[in-house]
Amino acid sequence: MRHRQLQETPMEEPRPERFTADEFIAWALEQPSGRYELHHGRIFAMAPERVNHARAKAQIWLALRAALAARGLPCEAMPDGVTVRIDADTVYEPDALVRCGPPAPGDATEIDDPVILVEVVSPSSRGVDTGLKLARYFSLPSARHYLIVDTEGRGVTHHRREEDGTITARILRDGEIALDPPGVRVRVADIFAGL
């Protein structure tokens, strides 16, 4: 999604037409290279990233990590590479996430309780990141914030689940993003530093 184009992965060996999340994760772990996501049972390859996309991913992860450390919160910011199972046939790999609680096991490939999810959009992923993923990420009970980072527009759309379940949205081009829970703030300028 983000920096990637949604294209069906060419399959080199016979496979079922649709995968479950468990089948997909087992399959993905066996791949020698490449990154993939599962949408409604279908595998999609993620295209190579542009440099500004990679920089923005690194910057948001660093900003979240620093904010959590400064507050001494029992939470961890993770860069892309770890998956989030949405349901039995959908698995995403956000560009960054935050989870709270005891540290996840070191050999885990999935995070099932993200509080903050982040996607950096690209022209090819904008529709998926702002539509499908918005709805699907908030289907997770733990999800409280979904940040969509737009490197071209140099803005961040902050979707937040309120206490009553309502999803609110703000677009920020400067200032701070208040992320409560877990109780941290991230400066928009830090996300775009070096871009």
Side-chain angles (χ1 to χ4, degrees):
M1 313 343 250
R2 26 207 194 259
H3 44 345
R4 350 166 202 248
Q5 297 172 342
L6 290 179
Q7 299 173 348
E8 279 195 63
T9 305
M11 306 297 182
E12 296 176 5
E13 56 189 66
R15 298 184 201 174
E17 192 168 302
R18 297 227 182 257
F19 277 61
T20 67
D22 288 335
E23 291 167 340
F24 166 74
I25 290 168
W27 174 86
L29 288 171
E30 294 176 358
Q31 301 313 298
S33 63
R35 296 174 48 225
Y36 307 90
E37 289 187 328
L38 184 70
H39 300 270
H40 301 294
R42 296 176 60 206
I43 295 175
F44 290 87
M46 294 184 278
E49 299 175 348
R50 291 183 172 88
V51 170
N52 272 352
H53 189 102
R55 285 178 179 144
K57 286 185 354 180
Q59 288 301 114
I60 186 68
W61 172 69
L62 289 170
L64 289 166
R65 189 176 78 160
L68 293 167
R71 295 283 319 275
L73 296 172
C75 302
E76 182 176 7
M78 296 185 182
D80 68 340
V82 178
T83 62
V84 173
R85 183 185 305 234
I86 302 300
D87 58 30
D89 67 355
T90 302
V91 179
Y92 295 145
E93 184 184 314
D95 286 325
L97 64 80
V98 170
R99 69 167 302 275
C100 297
D107 63 347
T109 60
E110 294 180 58
I111 296 300
D112 62 5
D113 58 354
V115 175
I116 302 169
L117 296 132
V118 180
E119 295 288 356
V120 178
V121 299
S122 67
S124 64
S125 72
R126 183 174 304 279
V128 172
D129 290 341
T130 60
L132 179 65
K133 284 192 175 181
L134 170 62
R136 301 307 302 273
Y137 279 145
F138 279 115
S139 72
L140 300 171
S142 63
R144 293 297 300 271
H145 307 276
Y146 176 38
L147 305 179
I148 301 173
V149 179
D150 180 355
T151 58
E152 291 179 9
R154 296 185 68 82
V156 178
T157 303
H158 174 201
H159 297 277
R160 172 191 169 104
R161 186 193 331 248
E162 302 295 341
E163 291 298 324
D164 67 0
T166 302
I167 307 298
T168 60
R170 291 181 27 179
I171 299 173
L172 298 103
R173 298 196 188 288
D174 58 21
E176 291 183 327
I177 304 167
L179 301 163
D180 186 27
V184 295
R185 294 179 174 272
V186 173
R187 289 177 0 120
V188 173
D190 292 343
I191 297 169
F192 297 107
L195 270 68

